[in-house]
Amino acid sequence: MCSILLFTNDSSLWIENTTNSEYSLFSNLSSNIILIMIVIVFLLLVASITSTILYLKSKSSLKKTLEDLDKGNKISEELRRVIDSSNLKFGIWNFNDDSINWGNSIHKNDLHSENLKQSNINSVFSKVLNPDKSRILNILDSFKKDSSEKIDFEISVQENEAIRHFEVIISPYTKINGNKENTPIGNAMIVYRDISKIKIIENELKKEKEKAEESNKLKSAYLANMSHEIRTPLNAIVGFSNILADSNDPQEKEQCVSIIENNNDLLIQLINDILDLAKIEAGTLDFNFSNVDLNTLVQQAQQAAFLKVDKRRVDVRCILGAEDCIIKSDYNRLLQVVSNFMSNAIKFTQKGSITIGYSKDDEKEKIRLYVKDTGCGIKKENQKSIFERFIKLNSMIPGTGLGLSICYNIINRLNGTIGVESEENTGSEFWIELPFDCSKKVCDKDEIITSSKKSIIKSFKLNLSNHKPILLVAEDDISNIRLYKALLKNDFEMIHAKDGEEAIEMFIQHNPDLVLMDIKMPKCDGYEALEKIRQISSNIPIIAVTAYAYSGEIRKMFDAGFNDCIVKPVNKKELFVKIDKYLNYIEE
């Protein structure tokens, strides 16, 4: 049997049975049901595929969204940590009730230290110190009325005994009205941070800047002052040297020589002050402690003052506080301070008296050295600054304004105190107090060092009737040689060695009576030459002549075996005193 399915144009289904040649027509309803079922199955299949695709897409999108949210949370956490570590505090200010809701952690040292998440604008800023308090409150009131622009300001708050500083920024909250500009909505963001440490650094930098500016001013003043002080005596030395060379009048020559010598002393003192100041700045000012006889020191300062004052108008007196008074100190530095006091007293005392002396307080174990004058005195307002650098109370009086400042540093290093008592138009008394141990036994006179000299002088009996003394001068500078010849040619027979090696040879050849030995020379310096000559003769007087003026260097020369020392520039009087001291010495 064979059947054939036929679809007609009207969607009717025919079944043709080839065997029976019969066709059966299903009803239209049955055929529609079958067609609908096929369509439904197809749609279900499409829907399943579509939903699967959408699910996969949504799952991927959801995963990405979750990742983004997680990433956003991490960024927010990091941002929160940054804000906390940056010391920033922020809150929302509600204009309606003036409350502030703080958005991050609160600490007891914060500006809003009530330890509450909410506070009041007035309570927060009521801690501001006057006179800024009223100004800040006015700023806040103005901002509340017209909060169109942000404001920023700094405030200071008293925290126990310390003052803390804050930087505050207040910005208005705004909303967008269509195309219109942003408008305030009645709230504001308050952000502040503690800038106390920054202020401390700023103040330190400000102080350092002021110190640098002051140092620069002092440097300029120092250079200007030094230029003036150096040129003033140089002008007199050069000018009167020319007059002296052209003059034939003995009286005029004597006056020129006196002026040149005085200005020469001023110039040397100036150079010494500059060198001492440089050593004080470098912290290398040298001290050599020994037993010092105060009676000898005071009398030496008095004798030096006799040569500088007008004896007809000013009387120089000396008051000794004890028959014997020995202290442990630096003789040269102590004499430097006392001499400075005496020099100032001479400058400012036109008539009356200058008194130098000391008193001893056994109970307090202190020695008080003083120089009192009847000069012009010092105003009370100037007495506090008298020991500062470059202080000159009278610009018409020669001086650098460094002497008393150097004295102040010296006495501090000697563990003493220094001061002044003065009354204007009556006089002044400069004093120093030094400690001493009265329980210690006073040493023998032979152990007391009263100057920079230390060595025991070894000499011999010299017969001056037969010949002029022979002086061996070891010096490499030709100008200094000419100076020695000019000074010594009339009284001594001078032989010259240009270096240390030649000095040794000439000593052996000529057997001089005394040697003037320069320290710094080529080939063989003064120390090496001294050592070789001492091997030949231990008695020959050898005087060091040097530009090394520091007491440490001078002590080194005595320790090496020199009998004495002359510091350059060579002074004629000092040179002859030293030479006469050794050539006329008779050993007992």
Side-chain angles (χ1 to χ4, degrees):
M1 180 178 68
C2 181
S3 298
I4 300 174
L5 291 175
L6 296 175
F7 288 92
T8 63
N9 292 333
D10 59 355
S11 299
S12 299
L13 178 61
W14 293 85
I15 301 176
E16 183 181 357
N17 193 313
T18 57
T19 306
N20 300 323
S21 301
E22 295 179 353
Y23 293 94
S24 298
L25 180 65
F26 287 95
S27 66
N28 289 336
L29 180 60
S30 298
S31 62
N32 287 339
I33 290 171
I34 294 172
L35 182 62
I36 288 170
M37 290 177 66
I38 294 172
V39 171
I40 289 171
V41 170
F42 177 76
L43 291 175
L44 288 172
L45 181 62
V46 171
S48 176
I49 293 171
T50 303
S51 63
T52 302
I53 294 171
L54 291 174
Y55 171 74
L56 293 174
K57 285 185 177 183
S58 64
K59 184 177 180 181
S60 175
S61 177
L62 179 62
K63 182 179 180 182
K64 187 176 184 304
T65 301
L66 292 173
E67 289 176 352
D68 289 343
L69 286 172
D70 184 58
K71 185 177 181 181
N73 289 333
K74 289 180 179 179
I75 293 173
S76 178
E77 182 64 27
E78 289 297 323
L79 182 60
R80 190 177 295 108
R81 289 178 182 175
V82 168
I83 291 173
D84 288 339
S85 63
S86 66
N87 201 25
L88 288 174
K89 305 297 177 183
F90 57 90
I92 305 300
W93 174 17
N94 190 322
F95 292 166
N96 293 327
D97 57 4
D98 281 338
S99 63
I100 303 175
N101 292 299
W102 299 105
N104 56 347
S105 57
I106 300 172
H107 302 284
K108 64 178 181 179
N109 291 328
D110 289 343
L111 181 61
H112 58 291
S113 58
E114 293 90 343
N115 293 324
L116 299 173
K117 292 294 288 183
Q118 188 179 63
S119 58
N120 185 274
I121 188 74
N122 292 323
S123 64
V124 170
F125 289 97
S126 63
K127 304 175 184 178
V128 178
L129 295 176
N130 290 320
D132 282 344
K133 182 176 179 179
S134 58
R135 180 178 65 86
I136 297 301
L137 293 177
N138 288 334
I139 290 174
L140 295 173
D141 188 58
S142 299
F143 178 82
K144 185 176 177 181
K145 293 177 181 177
D146 181 15
S147 56
S148 57
E149 299 290 338
K150 74 173 184 178
I151 57 173
D152 60 272
F153 49 85
E154 293 181 4
I155 58 175
S156 300
V157 174
Q158 183 75 40
E159 187 75 34
N160 296 327
E161 296 181 357
I163 295 178
R164 303 177 64 218
H165 305 274
F166 296 89
E167 180 183 37
V168 182
I169 300 174
I170 303 179
S171 301
Y173 265 11
T174 57
K175 65 179 180 179
I176 300 176
N177 295 327
N179 295 326
K180 296 181 180 180
E181 295 182 355
N182 297 352
T183 56
I185 60 173
N187 291 329
M189 169 73 78
I190 297 179
V191 180
Y192 74 84
R193 62 171 179 154
D194 191 333
I195 57 171
S196 299
K197 293 182 179 179
I198 296 175
K199 282 293 182 181
I200 292 173
I201 296 172
E202 285 180 354
N203 291 334
E204 289 177 353
L205 290 174
K206 185 178 179 181
K207 289 178 182 178
E208 290 298 322
K209 180 185 176 184
E210 291 174 352
K211 196 180 294 183
E213 290 174 349
E214 182 65 22
S215 177
N216 189 46
K217 290 179 182 178
L218 286 175
K219 178 184 174 183
S220 299
Y222 174 76
L223 292 174
N225 198 24
M226 289 303 102
S227 176
H228 174 269
E229 295 300 331
I230 291 173
R231 290 175 183 274
T232 299
L234 273 179
N235 180 64
I237 292 169
V238 173
F240 283 97
S241 296
N242 293 330
I243 295 173
L244 181 64
D246 297 334
S247 177
N248 294 320
D249 184 359
Q251 186 176 359
E252 186 179 37
K253 285 186 175 182
E254 186 178 348
Q255 290 177 348
C256 289
V257 169
S258 177
I259 293 172
I260 290 171
E261 287 180 346
N262 290 336
N263 283 276
N264 186 46
D265 291 340
L266 286 174
L267 191 58
I268 292 172
Q269 183 60 50
L270 172 63
I271 293 171
N272 289 334
D273 285 347
I274 293 172
L275 294 175
D276 280 341
L277 180 64
K279 298 199 79 173
I280 288 171
E281 287 293 326
T284 57
L285 192 65
D286 52 340
F287 288 82
N288 295 286
F289 289 87
S290 59
N291 292 317
V292 176
D293 185 343
L294 283 186
N295 287 349
T296 302
L297 183 142
V298 168
Q299 289 170 346
Q300 184 176 345
Q302 180 195 23
Q303 292 298 322
F306 272 134
L307 303 175
K308 299 178 181 179
V309 300
D310 184 351
K311 299 178 183 61
R312 295 169 298 180
R313 299 173 61 87
V314 180
D315 182 26
V316 180
R317 302 169 182 172
C318 175
I319 298 176
L320 303 179
E323 184 177 350
D324 286 309
C325 186
I326 312 300
I327 64 171
K328 195 80 171 178
S329 189
D330 185 315
Y331 184 93
N332 291 327
R333 292 299 179 188
L334 200 53
L335 181 61
Q336 179 181 350
V337 173
V338 174
S339 297
N340 185 277
F341 288 173
M342 293 294 286
S343 179
N344 286 338
I346 293 169
K347 288 178 186 178
F348 295 99
T349 305
Q350 301 300 320
K351 61 179 181 178
S353 64
I354 298 173
T355 304
I356 179 171
Y358 72 90
S359 59
K360 188 167 66 168
D361 191 332
D362 291 333
E363 290 184 4
K364 295 182 179 179
E365 295 190 334
K366 287 185 180 295
I367 291 289
R368 181 185 174 95
L369 267 164
Y370 60 87
V371 173
K372 189 174 183 179
D373 64 65
T374 57
C376 60
I378 305 168
K379 294 180 179 179
K380 286 187 178 181
E381 57 267 26
N382 295 330
Q383 292 178 22
K384 293 182 180 179
S385 60
I386 195 69
F387 294 102
E388 295 178 7
R389 294 177 185 176
F390 311 114
I391 299 298
K392 291 182 65 176
L393 302 183
N394 188 340
S395 59
M396 303 304 294
I397 300 294
T400 61
L402 292 174
L404 289 176
S405 174
I406 293 170
C407 291
Y408 180 85
N409 282 276
I410 290 173
I411 297 303
N412 278 346
R413 288 287 300 275
L414 294 175
N415 298 319
T417 55
I418 187 171
V420 61
E421 296 172 4
S422 182
E423 192 173 331
E424 195 174 5
N425 300 321
T426 300
S428 303
E429 180 181 342
F430 283 85
W431 55 266
I432 55 176
E433 286 188 349
L434 297 170
F436 82 102
D437 190 350
C438 61
S439 63
K440 289 186 177 180
K441 181 182 177 181
V442 176
C443 60
D444 294 334
K445 284 285 185 179
D446 292 338
E447 298 176 7
I448 300 169
I449 299 175
T450 58
S451 69
S452 60
K453 297 187 293 298
K454 177 184 175 182
S455 62
I456 298 174
I457 301 169
K458 293 182 179 180
S459 189
F460 49 88
K461 185 175 181 179
L462 184 65
N463 186 358
L464 299 177
S465 60
N466 297 329
H467 65 283
K468 286 184 178 181
I470 300 173
L471 266 60
L472 170 58
V473 178
E475 173 64 64
D476 63 314
D477 187 275
I478 189 64
S479 299
N480 289 334
I481 289 299
R482 289 176 179 173
L483 174 63
Y484 285 125
K485 286 181 178 179
L487 295 175
L488 303 172
K489 63 182 179 180
N490 296 327
D491 301 291
F492 304 94
E493 182 181 341
M494 195 189 89
I495 55 177
H496 167 232
K498 63 180 179 293
D499 57 56
E501 288 183 357
E502 190 173 343
I504 298 167
E505 294 173 2
M506 296 189 76
F507 178 80
I508 296 171
Q509 182 181 353
H510 295 278
N511 190 26
D513 299 313
L514 184 141
V515 179
L516 296 176
M517 183 75 72
D518 187 31
I519 294 298
K520 188 177 181 182
M521 292 184 294
K523 294 185 180 179
C524 175
D525 66 18
Y527 288 108
E528 294 171 321
L530 170 74
E531 185 179 358
K532 296 288 180 63
I533 292 174
R534 282 284 180 239
Q535 293 174 3
I536 301 168
S537 172
S538 60
N539 292 330
I540 181 72
I542 304 177
I543 300 175
V545 183
T546 180
Y548 297 111
Y550 298 126
S551 58
E553 290 290 339
I554 293 172
R555 183 169 291 276
K556 179 183 175 183
M557 295 169 199
F558 285 112
D559 290 341
F562 285 100
N563 296 91
D564 216 319
C565 175
I566 297 175
V567 177
K568 294 179 180 179
V570 176
N571 180 278
K572 180 181 177 181
K573 290 181 180 179
E574 182 185 8
L575 177 63
F576 274 83
V577 167
K578 299 278 188 183
I579 293 173
D580 184 67
K581 176 180 180 179
Y582 294 100
L583 293 186
N584 287 305
Y585 179 84
I586 300 176
E587 188 174 36
E588 297 180 355

